[in-house]
Amino acid sequence: MTKKPTGLEPRGFRWVITGNLAVAERIGGYGFQHRKVRREEEIVWLKEHGVNTIVSLLGGNQNALAYETAGLRFLSMDIDPEIEPEEAVAVFQLLEEALEPEDAVVLVHRDTIDDLLGGLLSGYLIHSGRLDDPIVATDVIQRILGRAIGPEGRRLIPQ
């Protein structure tokens, strides 16, 4: 008999690199929508799907205690909405650090999946050498996210 998964899939969850790097909206929701019970259920779901590291691109240590209590590794970086392309390299390096352990399964999030996050993910694919064409990287992430990346995100993709 197969075990039925428990927990609640995080909003917008998508694999960027299957089994290795995923993206979603903030765990538990954001703003007035944030709920402790929802956060706990989403953490259960993530763990059952192999995620062992959370990378938050939000200010502060939001949810850090909940992640660490659940046994998840937690890395964080406050991303200014007006991030400059040369500053994006620090995000790419943070993702490299998160993915460095051989068994790493990483979820990266902001409050929502926006142009900024889409641009950073596309840029990471170029920076990491997984892709070498910015147009292809943009197309890949747009297909994964099911949305276009606007100029705010596109400017973060290394050319």
Side-chain angles (χ1 to χ4, degrees):
M1 176 153 68
T2 54
K3 180 182 172 192
K4 183 180 178 191
T6 58
L8 180 65
E9 181 175 334
R11 287 185 182 158
F13 181 89
R14 301 281 187 278
W15 286 109
V16 176
I17 303 168
T18 303
N20 199 230
L21 177 63
V23 64
E25 291 185 2
R26 180 178 179 215
I27 306 307
Y30 66 97
F32 70 90
Q33 299 176 357
H34 186 82
R35 300 287 183 268
K36 179 182 176 186
V37 171
R38 178 175 155 197
R39 180 183 68 218
E40 291 169 354
E41 287 295 312
E42 290 179 1
I43 289 172
V44 167
W45 189 92
L46 289 168
K47 289 183 71 173
E48 286 191 356
H49 287 82
V51 173
N52 56 23
T53 304
I54 303 292
V55 172
S56 175
L57 299 180
L58 299 171
N61 59 358
Q62 299 177 32
N63 292 341
L65 182 60
Y67 299 140
E68 291 167 353
T69 299
L72 298 170
R73 183 173 166 222
F74 177 71
L75 303 168
S76 172
M77 181 178 286
D78 186 7
I79 302 301
D80 186 314
E82 303 298 321
I83 186 173
E84 293 299 323
E86 58 274 7
E87 296 170 317
V89 173
V91 177
F92 306 152
Q93 291 170 340
L94 180 66
L95 290 173
E96 285 177 346
E97 177 187 341
L99 290 161
E100 191 172 301
E102 193 172 306
D103 65 342
V105 181
V106 177
L107 173 84
V108 62
H109 75 80
R110 288 180 37 86
D111 278 335
T112 61
I113 298 173
D114 56 7
D115 283 349
L116 182 66
L117 188 52
L120 289 169
L121 290 170
S122 297
Y124 174 72
L125 294 178
I126 296 294
H127 177 84
S128 68
R130 286 176 168 85
L131 294 173
D132 60 6
D133 184 332
I135 294 170
V136 172
T138 302
D139 183 59
V140 165
I141 294 299
Q142 288 180 144
R143 289 174 188 264
I144 289 169
L145 300 180
R147 68 183 302 276
I149 300 171
E152 299 84 10
R154 288 176 186 257
R155 68 188 195 88
L156 301 175
I157 305 167
Q159 297 301 312

